[in-house]
Amino acid sequence: MTELRQQLINTALRMSAGGLNKGTAGNLSVRHREDGQDGFLITPTGMAYEALQAEDVVFMHLDGT
């Protein structure tokens, strides 16, 4: 799953480089199933994409937990 988190970061970096996102505006997410639970991986708010590490991308259940 670390690989998927890194892919999400790489996509965020490409979006930023392409001018699609500025600074820390916006979050990027991808649907994901973890431990049999549906949810998504999402980048944190207020953190520059260039500073992100795979462990900064968190899994959220569809109910918000």
Side-chain angles (χ1 to χ4, degrees):
M1 182 173 28
T2 299
E3 182 179 331
L4 183 56
R5 284 178 162 86
Q6 189 59 54
Q7 288 177 4
L8 190 61
I9 292 169
N10 293 344
T11 299
L13 291 170
R14 285 193 305 275
M15 287 176 59
S16 184
L20 295 173
N21 219 359
K22 299 290 182 191
T24 60
N27 298 84
L28 201 63
S29 63
V30 62
R31 293 276 311 240
H32 179 64
R33 187 168 179 83
E34 184 171 301
D35 297 327
Q37 299 292 315
D38 288 324
F40 55 96
L41 295 173
I42 188 165
T43 58
T45 299
M47 193 169 181
Y49 291 150
E50 294 78 16
L52 289 177
Q53 300 293 314
E55 58 269 11
D56 297 321
V57 177
V58 297
F59 178 79
M60 294 288 296
H61 293 95
L62 293 179
D63 67 3
T65 60

